Amino acid sequence: NTITNSETIENVEKIRSYFVKAYIDSIKNEDLEFGITGHTTELVKNFLAFNKGLILTELQNLVLKNFKDKRLVYSALHTFAHLEYDLVYPQGPIFALAMSRHKDIVIQDFSIQCFEMWCNKSSLDYLEQVSIDSIWLSEYLQKTIEYIQDS
């Protein structure tokens, strides 16, 4: 038996569709809190074992298609933050950096929390280039940079 390209594409589409539905259902039924890994993160981790690139891309696509949905943006940041840096690299850091420019200051805060939780020194090169308008959030960013430098 050989698998044709159309069968492979069909299987990928089924997985993509199933992931998106499962993710949306999961975040509807879970209270997400930074520092606590929940069911949604475990769900994504299981899907990543199958096809990391596809799942991380679909998570980003889901947010881009629903960018006004702050709960969805927050859930994606929460998911990225609670997975190992190397597992979500480069999509996770790129996504968190992009969200640091979101107009909602709470989303900006969560984007910095991602880097604090990952605590990965390789993120310092780009974190040091981020500019935040809010004074308290800029101070938090600087403290996060210092925390990563000292760890």
Side-chain angles (χ1 to χ4, degrees), residues 2-150:
T2 58
I3 298 175
T4 65
N5 283 342
S6 62
E7 288 173 323
T8 301
I9 292 168
E10 185 178 315
N11 287 338
V12 167
E13 181 56 30
K14 284 179 184 175
I15 291 163
R16 186 205 64 75
S17 177
Y18 181 71
F19 167 72
V20 169
K21 181 182 180 334
Y23 187 83
I24 290 171
D25 288 347
S26 184
I27 65 169
K28 286 179 183 175
N29 298 311
E30 183 174 20
D31 290 326
L32 301 171
E33 184 178 333
F34 264 82
I36 299 174
T37 302
H39 176 265
T40 303
T41 301
E42 291 303 319
L43 173 82
V44 172
K45 197 176 210 177
N46 289 335
F47 272 96
L48 288 175
F50 172 75
N51 189 324
K52 175 186 168 181
L54 173 69
I55 299 307
L56 293 177
T57 298
E58 283 309 314
L59 185 54
Q60 290 175 317
N61 286 340
L62 181 62
V63 171
L64 287 175
K65 290 175 185 172
N66 300 281
F67 203 68
K68 291 181 181 179
D69 184 341
K70 290 179 192 173
R71 175 144 177 88
L72 188 61
V73 174
Y74 170 75
S75 71
L77 286 168
H78 182 276
T79 299
F80 280 127
H82 288 85
L83 294 168
E84 296 82 23
Y85 184 84
D86 292 338
L87 184 60
V88 297
Y89 182 86
Q91 292 95 332
I94 290 170
F95 183 79
L97 283 170
M99 294 306 106
S100 73
R101 302 308 305 153
H102 195 282
K103 73 178 186 177
D104 187 299
I105 198 162
V106 174
I107 297 295
Q108 291 177 25
D109 178 28
F110 293 151
S111 73
I112 296 169
Q113 285 184 44
C114 288
F115 290 100
E116 182 180 22
M117 291 182 68
W118 289 323
C119 194
N120 189 294
K121 288 189 188 297
S122 67
S123 67
L124 290 171
D125 287 341
Y126 33 89
L127 271 182
E128 291 170 341
Q129 302 307 310
V130 172
S131 176
I132 302 287
D133 296 331
S134 162
I135 294 171
W136 72 266
L137 199 54
S138 182
E139 290 171 355
Y140 173 50
L141 172 63
Q142 189 56 45
K143 287 179 182 176
T144 299
I145 290 169
E146 291 166 7
Y147 170 73
I148 295 169
Q149 287 171 334
D150 293 342

